[in-house]
Amino acid sequence: MSEEPAWIAVAAVDDVAPGATLEVVAGDAIVALANVDGEIYALDGICAHQGGPLGKGKLVGCTLTCPWHGWQYDVTTGRQMLSDTIRQSRYQLRIERDTILVRLSDV
Ligand code: FES
């Protein structure tokens, strides 16, 4: 039986305000955090297109736009908006006191 990945502290809750995104590092992964109306989501921060930094993208509602060529993802599901097959991994996230922790395990 494989062990669950550890929870990793990546940021303070105040670092990612509602409507904002943030690029963080968790272990050897780059993770994009996105705050949709107070609910924070974590997904693979490397865009499936050509590796753009999704944590530096623009968030409108639950739609995150990659800053490089504009691919868009629903951060609540990880799905690329124009594709049924492309999906960014979403990671488990929890908040402890004022700290955001992620676990590199797909939701
Ligand atoms: S790298 Fe993200 S849209 Fe091209």
Side-chain angles (χ1 to χ4, degrees):
M1 203 169 108
S2 62
E3 219 172 281
E4 285 269 31
W7 287 100
I8 302 169
V10 293
V13 172
D14 287 349
D15 292 339
V16 54
T21 59
L22 183 68
E23 182 175 73
V24 296
V25 175
D28 56 5
I30 295 176
V31 174
L33 301 178
N35 186 332
V36 180
D37 297 331
E39 188 77 29
I40 301 174
Y41 297 88
L43 62 161
D44 179 356
I46 305 293
C47 180
H49 181 220
Q50 290 181 357
L54 291 182
K56 295 180 177 173
K58 185 172 166 53
L59 184 68
V60 176
C62 61
T63 301
L64 175 60
T65 302
C66 178
W68 281 9
H69 318 99
W71 278 27
Q72 294 186 311
Y73 299 88
D74 181 337
V75 298
T76 67
T77 62
R79 288 195 187 287
Q80 205 264 13
M81 304 294 272
L82 299 177
S83 167
D84 288 335
T85 54
I86 300 171
R87 178 184 170 273
Q88 291 293 108
S89 291
R90 276 199 49 226
Y91 299 128
Q92 296 177 355
L93 181 149
R94 72 183 161 95
I95 292 170
E96 208 169 86
R97 297 173 193 268
D98 294 329
T99 302
I100 300 168
L101 300 105
V102 298
R103 181 150 76 177
L104 300 177
S105 166
D106 206 350
V107 179

